Amino acid sequence: MTDTYIRLVSLPPKVEGVTVPNDDGSFDVYINSRLSPTRQQETLEHELRHIRHEHFYLDMPVARMERQADGEAINAVLHPPAGMLPCFDSEEALALFLNALCSQLGLNLNTL
């Protein structure tokens, strides 16, 4: 796993935690020191899930990333374009993406 630096800091009351990616590939995780120890631990686990799911490099709505960091399963393509990880709300959306990709590559999805 990448280097992760965890810091307890005084954040605004509505901000429980924030993660910042660094240029060297490490992450700074800031946890609100005003939270109870239990809530600090839960917030840290939430922020670490953002790192594990590579949310800092995705073109995905923030609300979906937050739901995924809270434990919701999100469908994603395993071999995305360089630097991106497309996510789909439905099987229909995934099918449209796959058809478009096959079309671009000159392939027939039905014969794969």
Side-chain angles (χ1 to χ4, degrees), residues 43-110:
T43 300
L44 174 59
E45 291 168 7
H46 173 95
E47 294 302 318
L48 292 175
R49 283 191 292 272
H50 280 301
I51 295 170
R52 278 194 302 276
H53 290 295
E54 300 184 344
H55 286 161
F56 305 95
Y57 313 107
L58 302 180
D59 184 18
M60 180 192 301
V62 172
R64 292 201 66 200
M65 287 187 265
E66 289 301 321
R67 290 195 326 264
Q68 187 177 38
D70 285 337
E72 182 179 318
I74 302 290
N75 293 326
V77 171
L78 297 177
H79 301 287
M84 301 298 288
L85 185 62
C87 296
F88 305 96
D89 291 324
S90 66
E91 288 183 25
E92 181 180 278
L94 174 59
L96 288 171
F97 173 79
L98 291 174
N99 281 317
L101 183 61
C102 284
S103 176
Q104 291 171 2
L105 297 173
L107 301 171
N108 182 340
L109 183 60
N110 298 323

Side-chain angles (χ1 to χ4, degrees), residues 12-49:
K14 292 187 178 191
V15 179
E16 294 186 349
V18 176
T19 299
V20 179
N22 298 311
D23 291 339
D24 65 359
S26 68
F27 293 89
D28 290 314
V29 178
Y30 300 94
I31 305 297
N32 196 334
S33 60
R34 299 176 191 200
L35 300 173
S36 71
T38 299
R39 191 66 193 138
Q40 287 176 356
Q41 182 63 37
E42 292 168 353
T43 300
L44 174 59
E45 291 168 7
H46 173 95
E47 294 302 318
L48 292 175
R49 283 191 292 272

